[in-house]
Amino acid sequence: MKFETPAGTNPIDAMKVIGQAVDRVDGKLKTTGQAPYAYEHSEIPAKPAFGYVIGAGIAKGRIASFNAEEARRMPGVLAIVSAKNAQPLGKGSMNTAKLLGGPNVDHYHQALAVVVAESFEQARSAANAVRITYDRAQGRFDLVAQKPGAQPLTGNDADTHTGDFEGAFASAPVQVDQTYTTPDQNHAMMEPFATIAWWEGDALSVWTSNQMIAWNKRELAKTFQMPPDKVHVRSPFIGGGFGGKLFLRADAVMAALGAKACGRPVKIAMPRPLMLNNATHRPATIQRIRLGSTRDGKLTAIGHESWSGDLPGGGPETATQQTRLLYAAANRLTALRLAELDLPEANAMRAPGEAPGLMALEIAIDEMAEKLAMDPVKFRVLNDTQVDPEHPQRPFSQRNLVRCLEDGAARFGWSRRSARPAQMREGRWLIGMGVAAGFRNNINMTSAARVRLAGDGTVTVETDMTDIGTGSYTIIAQTAAEMMGLPLEKVRVKLGDSSFPVSAGSGGQWGANSSTSGVYAACAKLRDLAAQSLGMDPASVQFADGEVRAGNRSAPLADAAKSGELVAEETMQWGDLGRKFQQSTFGAHFVEVAVDFYTGETRVRRMLAVCAAGRILNPKTARSQVIGAMTMGVGGALMEELAVDKRFGFFVNHDLAGYEVPVHADIPHQDVVFLDEEDDKVSPMKAKGVGELGLCGVGAAVANAVYNATGVRVRDYPITLDKYLADLPEPV
Amino acid sequence: MAQQPPTMAVSLEVNGEPQALMLDTRTTLLDALRDHIGLMGTKKGCDHGQCGACTVLVNGIRINSCLSLAVMHEGDAVTTIEGLGTPQELHPMQAAFVKHDGFQCGYCTPGQICSAVAVLDEIKAGIPSHVQGDIGGAPDMTVLEMRERMSGNLCRCGAYSNIAEAMAEVAGVRIAETHDAEVRV
Ligand code: FES
Ligand code: FES
């Protein structure tokens, strides 16, 4: 099925099951410890051995000597595999650094070997007995130092120019020209990278923890230089990913190497302290933003430049993305510059581009509003655009940013905010409110599913879609139930298996809309088969209450499969509506903070997000996506930072004690409002994503609230108290 | 072949069932539960006492099972998430987590639920905390107290606001009161 024209009325519009805030269909499994994650599967052909990965102790250079003699003789040790004795490996097309290093080392904690033993304790102990010496080479670890040599990019990441930015900025009566920095950040998902791998002849099977099953299968095949149809990947439950599990990682490669070497299944969970330098992270950025405005608050010039770094062959953090679309202004400039760094691999983390981009842009907008003596909500409303500012003939499919801002302001009590900072006090606390716009594009991905109607009237959905906590199981079940006119209990959903049709997978907040659209397409086909089987005209049937109805005839849906299961498989593909219309999601984030006069401690007291993201398929799971993202936004604003050791080239705080993420005590009650929308130009589901939107803008809303509380503007994230304590106003 | 690692016998009760194990003395309680007894509900997030995913109840008190060697638990009674309830018969805290969507990926969830059950007992038992107004008095059953005491259980999916609602329901605390409490910073 190809989606080429705006959706008319369709069976989803009944919204008997879709749009309802039902509990997660996998909720009981997850809350009772019965949902098996990668490391926990018992469906394997033999007793597994345990692998322990050894990471490089230098950031750049070569292995001088590798001595595993002592380790090999230790009790229980079955195999030690390194680049010296491993088969030649290909490199996955989506990996920048090789997943097995040696003799060259490309980054700190790059995997160099795996020790396989009968028990976890034996493997760990033997891994500690492997002696490696290195010839260390000079590396580049400091983005500030490498910034002058950073290079422009081509294609999607090339510079953009609209009108005459330099001229318009120079002549603007009111200007903001500031530089902001965001640090390296880590996904810090709670489930470590983990895999159980085994070989049967030349076929490889893995239970793993991965967001994109088809990518994983393809990359494993490429790495082991084998046909993809010999690789079986399963990942039915995933303990969080946030972009960190988009790609094939070392756990799967090392488990497969270990399994080959010892002829048994091998299970590996990456030790937490190894994960942060071994795998990918969101890279730090330096962002310069220039805004020019008329005195009455119309932006005339918007310029946004961003510098980031990555290993040779890597990519930039696309922090200027949202700036091309968020506000009107005739004269515009964006530019990305990429430096080479020898730190671990930079790559996607939740809302790549927009998350750090909005952290900077939405402070700059706050600064401009203040210079203009305008309310920051009104200033944003005044500069709204209903068309792509670079291509004014191209409208947004739907854009309700203004309503998000105005509704949010009313609900949040924004009118109580003092325009002058550092004016609101409660005892020892300075109180401040902040706002920021949220923006993230909608992306549609090809997505397929198979649906089966059994003789007992139940429907089973099979697709390689993943549920990383997003609620995929639930919204897919809701979609199939709505399409087939069944109650939710009559639908079973099977996910995360490479033997199922290839779905959109989980990334870029495309999962919900794309994967349910694939299920919609498959169900549309199944409806036709069911109607034909019952001798009814597919064009005029209705599916409701477990029955199929046409005119005054009706039959139980189960009867359609009386003489055998009906199976339909279909793929949702996309036409060019995404080119004709800019498809995006919008939000407004409101935050209230209290900052302690004496200690500088910042507490977040209230949070509200108002989101416009098309039809909300399940308000309960969608709301959870948003509150989770808001929580991550608080982390980004106030605490999260991978500290770079610029001499030795690694992230120092590489565990969950050192890399601080928000805890219960940091997060207040959170409010989320979804505007009642349907976007008929994005898909038959009329839905868009929310999982990344919820993060976009939160950091800046917190930053703006801290400024409003204290009068101290911090442009260097995270906003830790050492950056403003000395400048806090005197206690009265 | 080098010397075999020392092993030791340990008998403990897990979810009411006696377990007699012969274990490498380096085995943590967490790995004993997961790899030797086969109870995979208790999760390993960090193996270093930094995340709380491995929280279980030992003789009714919550601990990080990754920070404790199994052989130290001779004669102890351990309750894991599997011992609290089953999909067919949920513990009230498990049911409240489902109702309030107090989780997303579910990986921190067994630890959160074990901790949540223990936290309500700790408040009832008068065990003091950092956020208590009067350290000599009895702690109040507020969401502020709960948030403080739950802070060793990380949830990167960020379900904290919903977990607070779930715990408030089980504790029988009106959520409006609890919001007032947290605004009180
Ligand atoms: S696994 Fe025990 S605290 Fe993290
Ligand atoms: S539900 Fe995913 S970490 Fe808590």
Side-chain angles (χ1 to χ4, degrees):
Chain A
M1 183 181 286
K2 194 161 184 184
F3 185 74
E4 291 179 294
T5 53
T9 303
N10 68 42
I12 295 295
D13 293 326
M15 289 184 68
K16 284 190 183 152
V17 195
I18 278 290
Q20 304 302 314
V22 300
D23 292 344
R24 282 173 203 260
V25 297
D26 51 346
K28 289 182 179 177
L29 289 180
K30 284 182 172 176
T31 52
T32 56
Q34 303 296 329
Y37 296 80
Y39 192 82
E40 300 164 1
H41 290 276
S42 52
E43 195 191 309
I44 42 178
K47 187 169 176 288
F50 293 78
Y52 201 91
V53 174
I54 299 174
I58 60 166
K60 194 172 169 61
R62 279 178 69 85
I63 296 174
S65 68
F66 183 95
N67 183 345
E69 284 318 304
E70 183 194 346
R72 216 177 299 279
R73 288 194 307 270
M74 287 176 70
V77 172
L78 300 168
I80 300 178
V81 186
S82 69
K84 274 209 292 197
N85 58 347
Q87 65 183 96
L89 296 179
K91 182 159 83 71
S93 54
M94 301 177 104
N95 296 123
T96 305
K98 292 196 302 183
L99 296 176
L100 173 62
N104 292 328
V105 172
D106 303 308
H107 65 86
Y108 192 78
H109 276 176
Q110 184 176 31
L112 297 184
V114 60
V115 177
V116 182
E118 289 289 348
S119 79
F120 170 68
E121 295 78 16
Q122 290 170 334
R124 181 180 57 192
S125 160
N128 285 330
V130 173
R131 308 272 169 249
I132 308 176
T133 62
Y134 303 94
D135 291 327
R136 202 144 65 88
Q138 198 66 40
R140 298 152 296 177
F141 309 124
D142 183 357
L143 177 60
V144 173
Q146 298 304 318
K147 181 176 173 249
Q151 294 297 312
L153 296 127
T154 54
N156 285 341
D157 298 328
D159 295 359
T160 65
H161 301 272
T162 306
D164 168 23
F165 170 78
E166 298 291 347
F169 178 73
S171 63
V174 188
Q175 297 174 338
V176 166
D177 180 355
Q178 289 293 353
T179 297
Y180 307 84
T181 62
T182 62
D184 297 286
Q185 294 180 337
N186 193 264
H187 315 83
M189 60 295 209
M190 291 298 301
E191 183 203 19
F193 298 104
T195 297
I196 307 174
W198 67 92
W199 294 86
E200 282 162 308
D202 57 355
L204 171 64
S205 296
V206 295
W207 291 108
T208 192
S209 185
N210 189 274
Q211 301 173 220
M212 301 293 296
I213 300 302
W215 292 3
N216 202 254
K217 170 175 159 162
R218 185 191 67 206
E219 299 278 83
L220 271 172
K222 201 156 178 227
T223 303
F224 287 94
Q225 302 175 15
M226 60 194 285
D229 60 2
K230 295 278 189 186
V231 179
H232 189 191
V233 177
R234 281 178 288 180
S235 196
F237 290 98
I238 296 151
F242 313 113
K245 293 176 181 167
L246 284 168
F247 313 112
L248 176 66
R249 295 302 318 167
D251 56 307
V253 172
M254 302 310 277
L257 283 172
K260 195 156 225 181
C262 74
R264 267 169 62 184
V266 167
K267 62 199 297 191
I268 291 179
M270 274 282 180
R272 180 64 64 172
L274 197 63
M275 284 173 61
L276 282 76
N277 285 289
N278 174 271
T280 63
H281 66 281
R282 188 203 299 283
T285 64
I286 300 169
Q287 302 180 46
R288 182 187 186 195
I289 296 180
R290 284 175 287 172
L291 303 175
S293 174
T294 62
R295 288 199 195 285
D296 55 0
K298 277 279 188 191
L299 285 170
T300 53
I302 301 179
H304 191 166
E305 297 151 89
S306 176
W307 289 259
S308 62
D310 198 358
L311 287 164
E317 181 70 20
T318 55
T320 57
Q321 239 166 201
Q322 71 291 322
T323 307
R324 299 176 61 181
L325 291 161
L326 189 48
Y327 297 111
N331 306 288
R332 324 174 64 89
L333 157 89
T334 67
L336 294 171
R337 294 290 178 270
L338 178 62
E340 286 193 351
L341 292 177
D342 299 299
L343 289 171
E345 178 173 333
N347 218 316
M349 178 171 145
R350 199 175 199 168
E354 276 96 338
L358 284 160
M359 285 167 84
L361 177 66
E362 287 295 288
I363 295 185
I365 293 288
D366 202 60
E367 298 201 54
M368 177 57 97
E370 189 183 30
K371 277 200 168 178
L372 293 161
M374 277 183 80
D375 180 87
V377 170
K378 286 209 188 76
F379 178 60
R380 287 178 171 86
V381 169
L382 187 64
N383 287 288
D384 185 50
T385 175
Q386 291 294 314
V387 296
D388 171 353
E390 292 174 7
H391 308 97
Q393 70 288 359
R394 183 168 169 261
F396 281 88
S397 61
Q398 192 170 42
R399 174 166 165 137
N400 284 319
L401 175 62
V402 169
R403 259 187 67 204
C404 293
L405 286 160
E406 292 180 340
D407 274 25
R411 286 172 192 270
F412 199 68
W414 183 251
S415 59
R416 296 201 305 271
R417 169 184 175 270
S418 161
R420 268 185 60 211
Q423 299 303 305
M424 288 166 70
R425 300 181 176 198
E426 283 178 23
R428 64 188 289 159
W429 298 94
L430 295 161
I431 312 297
M433 291 190 210
V435 65
F439 177 92
R440 175 78 175 151
N441 283 334
N442 177 67
I443 302 170
N444 286 344
M445 299 278 278
T446 304
S447 200
R450 182 158 58 222
V451 284
R452 302 171 180 275
L453 173 65
D456 62 359
T458 59
V459 165
T460 302
V461 184
E462 296 170 344
T463 167
D464 85 353
M465 182 59 190
T466 49
D467 188 329
I468 61 174
T470 37
S472 311
Y473 277 108
T474 309
I475 57 172
I476 285 173
Q478 288 175 275
T479 303
E482 193 78 65
M483 289 297 287
M484 304 312 296
L486 290 172
L488 202 55
E489 314 79 71
K490 295 273 188 192
V491 179
R492 269 187 73 203
V493 179
K494 296 184 180 176
L495 300 181
D497 185 325
S498 65
S499 67
F500 298 154
V502 174
S503 74
S506 300
Q509 81 168 10
W510 62 58
N513 182 43
S514 297
S515 73
T516 55
S517 293
V519 174
Y520 173 98
C523 286
K525 209 167 180 178
L526 185 62
R527 285 163 61 107
D528 290 354
L529 293 180
Q532 282 158 15
S533 156
L534 294 165
M536 297 182 189
D537 172 16
S540 59
V541 285
Q542 281 191 325
F543 291 72
D545 308 321
E547 292 190 333
V548 189
R549 297 172 191 150
N552 49 15
R553 266 196 65 200
S554 78
L557 177 63
D559 286 4
K562 233 195 234 152
S563 48
E565 185 185 56
L566 297 183
V567 184
E569 185 174 331
E570 183 59 287
T571 304
M572 180 57 83
Q573 298 179 87
W574 308 99
D576 65 354
L577 287 174
R579 274 189 293 283
K580 285 189 190 143
F581 297 92
Q582 176 56 40
Q583 303 177 351
S584 305
T585 63
F586 305 90
H589 289 284
F590 292 84
V591 172
E592 181 178 295
V593 300
V595 180
D596 189 308
F597 270 135
Y598 299 103
T599 66
E601 178 189 10
T602 293
R603 308 282 307 155
V604 177
R605 297 216 301 188
R606 294 194 298 134
M607 298 186 83
L608 166 68
V610 183
C611 301
R615 173 181 279 153
I616 299 303
L617 302 175
N618 179 334
K620 185 177 274 196
T621 53
R623 179 177 173 279
S624 285
Q625 283 286 286
V626 176
I627 66 167
M630 290 158 79
T631 302
M632 196 176 272
V634 170
L638 297 179
M639 62 194 85
E640 290 183 35
E641 173 175 25
L642 288 166
V644 181
D645 185 316
K646 291 172 189 154
R647 300 157 306 163
F648 295 104
F650 68 100
F651 300 126
V652 182
N653 49 343
H654 52 87
D655 62 23
L656 290 174
Y659 186 79
E660 293 184 7
V661 300
V663 302
H664 279 268
D666 296 321
I667 301 299
H669 174 77
Q670 294 164 318
D671 283 317
V672 180
V673 175
F674 294 110
L675 297 188
D676 196 6
E677 281 192 342
E678 290 168 8
D679 191 334
D680 64 353
K681 299 183 186 64
V682 296
S683 78
M685 303 304 293
K686 306 177 186 173
K688 294 181 275 200
V690 297
E692 298 187 325
L693 175 66
L695 174 60
C696 292
V698 179
V702 174
N704 294 337
V706 171
Y707 173 72
N708 184 245
T710 62
V712 188
R713 185 67 82 176
V714 179
R715 302 184 182 86
D716 173 24
Y717 288 100
I719 304 172
T720 46
L721 56 83
D722 51 300
K723 296 172 186 167
Y724 58 79
L725 184 60
D727 300 322
L728 286 183
E730 289 300 312
V732 277
Chain B
M1 202 61 165
Q3 219 187 335
Q4 287 298 318
T7 56
M8 216 173 129
V10 59
S11 302
L12 67 174
E13 196 185 283
V14 180
N15 301 329
E17 303 261 329
Q19 298 283 351
L21 304 168
M22 182 62 78
L23 292 176
D24 186 321
T25 50
R26 296 167 296 185
T27 308
T28 61
L29 177 59
L30 173 59
D31 288 332
L33 291 169
R34 283 166 64 85
D35 291 329
H36 296 266
I37 302 176
L39 290 172
M40 291 291 189
T42 309
K43 304 304 181 197
K44 186 188 282 192
C46 70
D47 219 8
H48 286 71
Q50 301 169 347
C51 76
C54 63
T55 306
V56 298
L57 307 177
V58 175
N59 305 327
I61 295 178
R62 59 181 172 145
I63 66 162
N64 287 340
S65 61
C66 72
L67 285 187
S68 185
L69 296 173
V71 294
M72 294 158 61
H73 291 283
E74 179 66 30
D76 282 347
V78 179
T79 305
T80 69
I81 190 71
E82 292 94 339
L84 286 180
T86 62
Q88 293 71 36
E89 211 172 325
L90 296 176
H91 182 280
M93 190 64 80
Q94 292 168 324
F97 267 62
V98 172
K99 176 176 162 193
H100 293 280
D101 214 31
F103 58 94
Q104 290 165 48
C105 77
Y107 200 76
C108 74
T109 311
Q112 300 280 357
I113 291 174
C114 286
S115 245
V117 168
V119 158
L120 297 190
D121 288 346
E122 287 164 24
I123 298 175
K124 276 186 214 138
I127 296 172
S129 88
H130 165 70
V131 295
Q132 218 167 302
D134 169 16
I135 203 77
D140 297 327
M141 190 62 85
T142 62
V143 167
L144 189 69
E145 281 287 350
M146 297 176 206
R147 287 190 203 285
E148 168 65 18
R149 292 161 194 262
M150 290 295 290
S151 288
N153 287 85
L154 303 182
C155 176
R156 186 56 161 165
C157 294
Y160 298 132
S161 186
N162 287 352
I163 293 173
E165 312 262 333
M167 289 180 69
E169 175 171 310
V170 174
V173 178
R174 279 204 316 129
I175 201 75
E177 287 164 19
T178 64
H179 288 173
D180 291 343
E182 78 202 5
V183 176
R184 205 183 63 200
V185 280

